[in-house]
Amino acid sequence: MSDISRLGIVGCGLMGSGIAEVAALRGLDVTVAESTPELAAAGRERVTASLDRGLRRGKFGAAERDQALTRLSFTHDLGDLADRQIVIEAVAENREMKLDVFRQLDKVVTDPEAILATNTSSIPVVDLAVATGRPAQVVGLHFFNPVPVQKLVEVIPALTTAADTVNRARAFAAGQLGKEVIQAPDRSGFVVNALLVPYLLAAIRMVESGAARPEDIDSGMKLGCAHPMGPLRLLDLIGLDTAQAVADSMYDEFKEPLYAAPPLLQRMVAAGHLGRKSGRGFYAYEA
């Protein structure tokens, strides 16, 4: 099984930029596609800033940082991903947006054996696979935020995914990117979010009912259960809009009340209180 050398990424937000950074540091040629020149430029700045932080913190040297930057290119034309051996979709957690990306990738990626992967948190992989003419090459590769720090990747085969695609995806994530891999079922939420999301929503309901303050809930889970971060701080880090999108997807599939987004979460998202990225969520943050 030959190594992958050419990676494409669609989307350069928190997840896409993190995947790009890790891959470039590990020696891959990385092309990142965004929807506009402005977003492509912002993506370049995001990756460069993260590499500079890593350099200041002593995670790698200046030569490694500079070499990683030479392996990165940014574009607003999906056609520039035509020669990629694997493309990872990392756009917003929106079903129609992701479906559109996969339909376009199916047309532009020339290698019929190229892997088309999704970084979705909750959308069934098979829905994206059957939007293409190559469902056997579509697989889930779910990274965790922040990608340069978090070691886990969930590999999610759809019913249509070929065994060779699964093996190549596992080898890519583990052998080339240095991640720890678990295989997850193609059910909304997979393994981690199926366990995590009900816990996070339960914390919101405690705040909503007045049972406890955010500070007390977070301190309780950190000090009482040895969690590195309380659930409400974690929600602010994830982004409340992302958390609602994941919860909605899981509720749509299972119709279980524990997956339903609480009214407080819906109201906070409507108000633009999305957590760290907006400066305000369950806590306030400096710009």
Side-chain angles (χ1 to χ4, degrees):
M1 186 185 300
S2 58
D3 281 352
I4 288 167
S5 59
R6 300 185 304 280
L7 166 66
I9 300 170
V10 183
C12 201
L14 287 174
M15 299 304 297
S17 62
I19 298 167
E21 176 183 342
V22 169
L25 284 168
R26 302 282 295 196
L28 279 83
D29 174 55
V30 183
T31 300
V32 184
E34 262 290 5
S35 55
T36 67
E38 293 77 16
L39 287 173
R44 182 189 295 275
E45 292 175 6
R46 185 175 292 112
V47 178
T48 301
S50 182
L51 285 166
D52 288 343
R53 284 195 298 273
L55 176 62
R56 289 195 299 271
R57 294 170 181 171
K59 294 182 178 179
F60 40 78
E64 291 173 277
R65 187 272 314 270
D66 293 344
Q67 289 166 5
L69 287 171
T70 66
R71 300 184 187 110
L72 286 159
S73 60
F74 296 80
T75 181
H76 64 281
D77 182 359
L78 278 182
D80 290 336
L81 305 181
D83 68 339
R84 301 291 95 177
Q85 296 163 290
I86 180 170
V87 179
I88 301 173
E89 167 274 311
V91 302
E93 193 69 2
N94 178 285
R95 183 185 299 266
E96 290 306 316
M97 187 182 299
K98 289 180 184 291
L99 285 169
D100 183 59
V101 168
F102 273 85
R103 292 184 188 111
Q104 293 186 63
L105 291 175
D106 191 33
K107 296 175 183 177
V108 304
V109 177
T110 56
D111 182 355
E113 297 303 313
I115 295 172
L116 304 183
T118 176
N119 184 55
T120 181
S121 303
S122 60
I123 296 170
V125 176
V126 71
D127 291 1
L128 305 176
V130 298
T132 76
R134 52 177 105 182
Q137 276 68 56
V138 177
V139 68
L141 278 179
H142 181 213
F143 293 78
F144 290 80
N145 183 40
V147 179
V149 175
Q150 300 281 48
K151 295 292 290 182
L152 183 67
V153 172
E154 290 179 310
V155 174
I156 307 107
L159 287 173
T160 53
T161 307
D164 179 65
T165 301
V166 177
N167 292 336
R168 291 163 60 208
R170 291 181 67 102
F172 170 72
Q176 294 192 250
L177 298 187
K179 297 296 186 181
E180 297 289 337
V181 171
I182 63 172
Q183 191 156 313
D186 189 19
R187 301 168 71 250
S188 186
F190 315 131
V191 169
V192 173
N193 280 326
L195 294 169
L196 178 64
V197 168
Y199 159 68
L200 297 178
L201 300 182
I204 297 173
R205 293 186 185 104
M206 289 190 77
V207 175
E208 187 173 55
S209 68
R213 300 181 308 157
E215 297 88 345
D216 293 330
I217 294 169
D218 284 347
S219 293
M221 295 310 296
K222 285 178 64 180
L223 302 178
C225 294
H227 288 198
M229 182 181 294
L232 299 164
R233 287 279 184 193
L234 180 55
L235 279 160
D236 279 356
L237 178 63
I238 293 169
L240 272 67
D241 52 340
T242 300
Q244 182 180 344
V246 174
D248 288 346
S249 179
M250 294 173 69
Y251 184 76
D252 285 346
E253 177 152 333
F254 301 112
K255 301 298 188 291
E256 293 280 356
L258 75 166
Y259 297 132
L264 176 59
L265 175 60
Q266 298 176 46
R267 300 300 183 270
M268 292 177 74
V269 171
H273 298 171
L274 308 180
R276 285 180 180 270
K277 61 186 173 186
S278 70
R280 183 175 177 183
F282 287 97
Y283 301 92
Y285 300 90
E286 295 289 339

